[in-house]
Structure formats: structure tokens, C-alpha cells
Amino acid sequence: MTTATSTSLAEQIARRRTFAIISHPDAGKTTLTEKLLLYSGLIRTAGMVKNRKGRAATSDWMGMERERGISITSSAMQFPYKDTVINVLDTPGHADFSEDTYRTLIAADSAIMVLDAGKGVEAQTRKLFEVCHLRGIPVLTFINKLDMPGRDPLDLLAEVESALGIQACAFNWPIGSGREFAGVVDRRSREFQLFEKTAAAGSARSELTRLPFDDPRVGERLGEDVADQVRGELELLEVAGNPYTHEDFLAGKVTPTFFGSALTNFGLEPFFDAFVELAPAPGARPVDLPDGSETRRPPTAPFSAFVFKIQANMDRRHRDCIAFMRICSGRYEPETMVKHHRAGKAIRLARPHSIVAQERNTLDEAFPGDVIGLISRDTFRIGDTLSADGGFEHKPLPQFQPELFARIEPKATSLRKRFDKGMRNLVAEGAVQQVWPENSPHDGLVGAVGRLQLEVLQYRLEDEYGVPTTLQMLPYVCSSWLIGDRETFDAPTTALVARDTRDRTVVLFRSEWDKQAAAKKHPDHELLDVA
């Protein structure tokens, strides 16, 4: 690599920001994603997730997402924002889709955690934050819905610290709340950022008036009592608030915290600008070597990437699958030849795309941090490593055991071929898992974390493949992968032993007690919940 090329690659890496947005359902993360598109200039009008006129958010492309107003699948979008290139990974907030979310988080370099100002830290937020913590992903916090009646800002900061075990440093401070929410004060620039009214449902950008901290116009605009109260709260923060260092942020010890309203756009542009400044560019990522050791591969190394998501039927006209690939090092160029580690062969990466929901644009080049889509016809699986030089693999992506199992069949036997194709595609993308009992190897069963996954499976089989189905729930409530000699494992009479899509032994139990008893009875075996 020449010096000029290396410099250019380093410059491109420095421009990238690849992040996931995490939250409990209905905290506003998909709306925040939509507003980032609005402020980037990529869309003219923001469509709300629950818009009365029926306009749906750009990142919610699936029919069921539009009907129910929820995010069902992770979506990856790339677009410019001012002087940076944004790769945003919008994740489902619902716990039933947590496995999709966990895989997506591994592809991110940082995360934005969205909290509801009225509810604070909720259950799913805790789980997703813990994944970020375990993966060493730095987190910025956006406390949303200040346009609604909410909790005291100091209480919210205290709850972030007590519930998540991370210091919260307020970078801005709200001026009022609910109907009285008028803007924020930027603590670093010491200026009042006052917001004007926006178009209905925040579909257009909000105008921003910036006034110095001691400007007399602040009192005229807000009222002297409100201005004095805000200044008093800020003085308290200076004394009692947490300090911020960028090193502590990158180490996951402190989360820069911002207040605002994604619905009305109040506080969004300053937050987006601060995020671009604070969030890390793509860095070295851990990889496994053939001898079992681990090293870190810098982003300036030769080309490498891994597949973290597969999505079927994003384009109904082509009925294809898109493999979402996170580039970790090097530069993609047209017709790049790479080593497909799992398949053990060389392949050509022809016609990758940048993705914004269902829209695709063919790429001429891509760089570390970029998330691109590859047309996949059984070529890729989740977790595949692709590289120019070989000799390593990116860290494997986790797979979690289902807690619900069911038998699903097409209502009409004439639709069996179409049903089988749909199941192959949806299982390959991780929508559900599938197992085949040892005593009935042709009777495939589906496994899911939650009931909503099964509803989505039935919906998509009918909507995308034209196959109405019947679903019969089974009495199993937990399962584990079996590690050890199958012949010497004596499963409980109430359990079911099966094989999964990777030919691994899976044991389905009717109770957690049965599972624990089986583990005690077979100390030479392992029952794994995560593989």
C-alpha cells in the first residue's frame, strides 16, 4: 500500500461513525433514527412510527412494522451527515427480537441509548446496555420526550448511575418540560439553545436560536424566574455533577447525556453534532487465529469483513436475500476477490450496495465502518468472515437458545414447496431457529425467544410467500446445546432430543428444574444456553 493510499484510507476511516440505537420499546429510538435522516438532508419530511396519516418511518420497511408501529427487524442505513459518513444500525426494542439486536450491536463501534424521560431506565434497556458493557462499546445517552410530562432531570441522571453502574455526565440541560419545554442549555459552550415551533409532528427541522449564558434576552424570552432556575440548576451540576474525560467515555466509565425531544426536534441537531464529535471512528477489532489465540486487527490492515445479518425479501421484485456485511479493515473496490473462511474458497464480491431501508445504491468503494449489502443466494451465513489475506476469523456471533417451541405447517399441502423455501430463507436470516427431533427427523420444529417472533413468522410466510399456516405450541419452555457424548447422555423422559441446522445436538426441556436435574446427573456433559 502506497503512502498516498494509506493516508486516504486513514482519512476515510476518520470520517466514519458506525453505531447502534438501543432502547426499551416505545422510548423513541426509531423516531430518533428518522430525524437523523431528516437533519442529514437525506429525506425532506420525517415519517413518524405512529403517524395518524399513515406515514411510516423510513427504517421500518416491513409490512408488519408499518401496520403495528413497531420495529421488528434491525435495519442498516448509510448516509452523509455534514463532514462524516454515518452507518446507523436501528435495532428492535422488543425483547422477543433480542438475538437480532445482540448480533447487530457487535457490528457497532458505539451506541446511542434512548430513555423515556417519564419512565427512565426500563427492563430491555438494562439488557441491551449490559451487552454494550460486555462488548466494550461506548454509550451516549439521549433522554427523550421532554415535550411530555416527565421525571426530574437530576433523578433521571441518578437512576442511570444506580441502575446501569455508569456515571452520567450531562452535556446539556433542559429548559422546562412538557408544554413548557423551550430548549436546552449547552454546558460546554454556555449558551441557551431555544427552539421555535416546527411543522406538525416534527416533520421538518426545528429553528434554533442561540443566546449567550448571561444574555438579558434569555430572561425576556423565558421569563426571569425560569432563567434563574435553570442557571441555579447548572451551578449545582458544576459542583455535584460527574466530570467527563474522553478516555473514560471510550472505556465505558461515563456516558455523555443529552436531553431533548425527538418528536418535536428540540435538542436534536446539537445532539447529532456532539455525537459526531464524541463517537469513536472504526478501530482495531479482535480476531481469532488458527492456534486459538486472539489478536487485534487494525482498520488499516488488508480488507476484511464479517456478515452479521441476513434479510430476505427486502425487494419483492427480486425475491433475494441481502447479507449485511460490516467492513472491519482495508478498502473495498469493485470485483474484490476475498477468501470465504467457512466455505474455504475464494469468491468475488460483485455489486455490493449501500442500504437505506429498501433503497439500494451500487457502491464503487467502501471503507472500515461501512455496512454494505451483498446479494446472497445461499452463499453467506450469519457470522461468516471474508478477507483478502486469510489466516484469522472475526469473533463468532452468539446464538441463544429459544424458550418457546412450536410445530408449523402450511394450511394447504399444495403449498409445501413454497412453505419449505420460505422456512429455509427465514431460518437462514435468524428470524427463528429450527430443530428436527431424533425420533422424527422429518418433523421440523421452530424455536423462538418470544411469542411475537412466531407471529412474525406466520405473517411473513403468508405476506412474502403466500403460505397461510397453522401453529401448534409445544410444552417445552427451555433448551440447551449438548456438549459431550450423545450416547452416554440419558435425557429425561419428558425431554426431546433434536438436531439443529448446524447438526448440533439440542435438548428441549419442559421445565427449568428438568434442565438442572439433567445437568447434575451428567457432570461430564455441558448444557449450553449460548453458542
Side-chain angles (χ1 to χ4, degrees), residues 170-173 175 184-193 209-215 218 227 230-239:
F171 269 54
N172 67 15
W173 197 249
I175 305 168
V184 297
V185 181
D186 188 303
R187 294 184 63 203
R188 294 187 296 172
S189 64
R190 291 183 63 80
E191 67 177 10
F192 280 78
Q193 298 172 344
T209 299
R210 300 175 184 268
L211 296 176
F213 192 74
D214 295 320
D215 194 310
V218 172
V230 172
R231 290 187 177 113
E233 291 170 343
L234 289 168
E235 288 179 6
L236 178 62
L237 273 181
E238 291 298 324
V239 175

Side-chain angles (χ1 to χ4, degrees), residues 214-473:
D214 295 320
D215 194 310
R217 289 174 294 176
V218 172
E220 296 171 5
R221 175 79 176 267
L222 300 175
E224 293 296 342
D225 290 345
V226 173
D228 288 343
Q229 178 183 344
V230 172
R231 290 187 177 113
E233 291 170 343
L234 289 168
E235 288 179 6
L236 178 62
L237 273 181
E238 291 298 324
V239 175
N242 293 314
Y244 172 84
T245 69
H246 198 58
E247 292 73 20
D248 284 347
F249 164 59
L250 296 179
K253 297 178 181 179
V254 63
T255 175
T257 304
F258 301 79
F259 295 85
S261 165
L263 179 66
T264 62
N265 301 335
F266 285 12
L268 289 196
E269 188 169 14
F271 169 65
F272 293 148
D273 291 345
F275 165 78
V276 166
E277 173 193 346
L278 298 173
R285 297 182 70 88
V287 296
D288 292 329
L289 301 177
D291 62 4
S293 63
E294 179 184 299
T295 188
R296 297 186 69 83
R297 186 175 175 88
T300 52
F303 176 85
S304 70
F306 68 90
V307 175
F308 68 91
K309 176 179 176 59
I310 293 176
Q311 188 71 56
N313 301 323
M314 291 185 72
D315 188 336
R316 298 293 186 87
R317 296 169 299 177
H318 301 294
R319 291 289 182 184
D320 54 21
C321 288
I322 295 288
F324 287 86
M325 179 177 74
R326 151 74 195 235
I327 298 178
C328 299
S329 62
R331 176 198 304 261
Y332 162 81
E333 295 174 337
E335 304 299 315
T336 295
M337 291 294 297
V338 299
K339 295 180 180 179
H340 189 311
H341 291 228
R342 176 182 56 81
K345 63 182 181 181
I347 63 171
R348 189 183 305 276
L349 296 184
R351 298 185 66 244
H353 300 82
S354 64
I355 307 291
V356 177
Q358 290 173 285
E359 298 180 11
R360 310 178 187 181
N361 296 297
T362 303
L363 290 170
D364 292 325
E365 59 181 358
F367 301 91
D370 286 347
V371 173
I372 63 177
L374 302 170
I375 304 299
S376 173
R377 299 190 183 279
D378 300 323
T379 303
F380 304 110
R381 293 182 188 171
I382 292 171
D384 281 351
T385 292
L386 309 172
S387 71
D389 48 353
F392 69 93
E393 284 195 85
H394 286 287
K395 304 294 289 185
L397 303 186
Q399 187 176 18
F400 300 87
Q401 271 297 347
E403 299 174 4
L404 297 176
F405 292 88
R407 182 176 286 107
I408 186 169
E409 296 288 342
K411 287 185 176 180
T413 55
S414 60
L415 298 175
R416 168 61 65 174
K417 187 174 181 180
R418 199 181 297 176
F419 170 81
D420 289 341
K421 178 182 178 181
M423 286 298 301
R424 282 196 304 272
N425 288 344
L426 297 178
V427 169
E429 73 172 54
V432 291
Q433 295 182 39
Q434 193 169 24
V435 298
W436 291 265
E438 285 185 340
N439 59 6
S440 181
H442 301 295
D443 181 22
L445 310 178
V446 294
V449 173
R451 185 60 191 249
L452 187 54
Q453 270 185 284
L454 299 176
E455 291 180 32
V456 171
L457 175 66
Q458 287 190 280
Y459 177 93
R460 293 186 63 187
L461 284 170
E462 183 168 1
D463 181 59
E464 298 172 19
Y465 298 93
V467 184
T469 57
T470 58
L471 189 78
Q472 176 190 358
M473 296 302 299

